[in-house]
Amino acid sequence: MKSILISIKPQYVEKILNGEKTIEIRKTKPNIELPCKVYIYCTMPNKQENRKPHSWEVVWLKRVVAEFTLKNISYWQPYWAPEVMHICDISEKSCVSIEDLMQYCGNGIIYALHIEDLEIYDKPKELSEFTHNVPNYSNGVVMYSLKKEPLKRPFQSWGYVNGTDN
């Protein structure tokens, strides 16, 4: 089964782990059969924040700290239609202001990944415990080999992985 690794800033990881944030926002959505497993990778804080990490963050930073089941992806776009999720609901459940959501999406769509069945790890996992299929070039054409390589770098937003139990 395909799984996803998603990179999230520490302040939002904290809100997910304490149950305050139940939706993660992205500009793109995975092309994957639902339900699927999503692993939460805690990124480093932005350099602009200019602060020392909290003691609990040090354990999380640059590690996979939890997983959840993704069963539903809804969306919102600036030209709201009745069949899409309302911006106020997304704002509340994602812990992101409406102004920031509007700035983030511009004129595009934002996808709301609904966090369900959250499992917080007692001991965070290293990125190298996860693998992904690497491209294999043959005669100038990208072919995906069956070779699975450990992740060396996190995805900027999200990407497909083979979980630790695969």
Side-chain angles (χ1 to χ4, degrees), residues 78-125:
Y79 307 103
W80 186 82
E83 67 274 3
V84 298
M85 194 170 187
H86 195 274
I87 190 75
C88 295
D89 196 29
I90 292 175
S91 174
E92 180 183 332
K93 293 178 179 179
S94 68
C95 300
V96 177
S97 72
I98 292 174
E99 295 78 20
D100 287 345
L101 285 172
M102 295 293 289
Q103 183 177 3
Y104 179 67
C105 79
N107 289 328
I109 294 174
I110 52 174
Y111 294 96
L113 284 64
H114 297 256
I115 299 168
E116 298 183 48
D117 305 325
L118 180 66
E119 180 185 329
I120 302 167
Y121 299 147
D122 292 331
K123 181 182 178 213
K125 298 181 183 205

Side-chain angles (χ1 to χ4, degrees), residues 27-138:
K27 289 183 183 179
T28 60
K29 69 175 185 149
N31 183 13
I32 194 167
E33 186 177 326
L34 299 180
C36 71
K37 190 179 291 191
V38 178
Y39 298 98
I40 298 173
Y41 175 82
C42 184
T43 67
M44 292 293 286
N46 289 345
K47 290 179 183 171
Q48 301 93 311
E49 292 176 7
N50 197 20
R51 66 171 178 83
K52 289 188 174 185
H54 299 287
S55 58
W56 47 262
E57 280 183 337
V58 173
V59 176
W60 298 352
L61 295 176
K62 297 171 65 174
R63 291 186 178 82
V64 178
V65 298
E67 65 184 61
F68 67 90
T69 303
L70 178 60
K71 298 178 185 175
N72 184 24
I73 301 173
S74 52
Y75 69 96
W76 182 83
Q77 58 192 26
Y79 307 103
W80 186 82
E83 67 274 3
V84 298
M85 194 170 187
H86 195 274
I87 190 75
C88 295
D89 196 29
I90 292 175
S91 174
E92 180 183 332
K93 293 178 179 179
S94 68
C95 300
V96 177
S97 72
I98 292 174
E99 295 78 20
D100 287 345
L101 285 172
M102 295 293 289
Q103 183 177 3
Y104 179 67
C105 79
N107 289 328
I109 294 174
I110 52 174
Y111 294 96
L113 284 64
H114 297 256
I115 299 168
E116 298 183 48
D117 305 325
L118 180 66
E119 180 185 329
I120 302 167
Y121 299 147
D122 292 331
K123 181 182 178 213
K125 298 181 183 205
E126 298 296 328
L127 199 57
S128 60
E129 295 180 51
F130 296 83
T131 62
H132 65 124
N133 297 336
V134 290
N136 179 20
Y137 295 93
S138 175

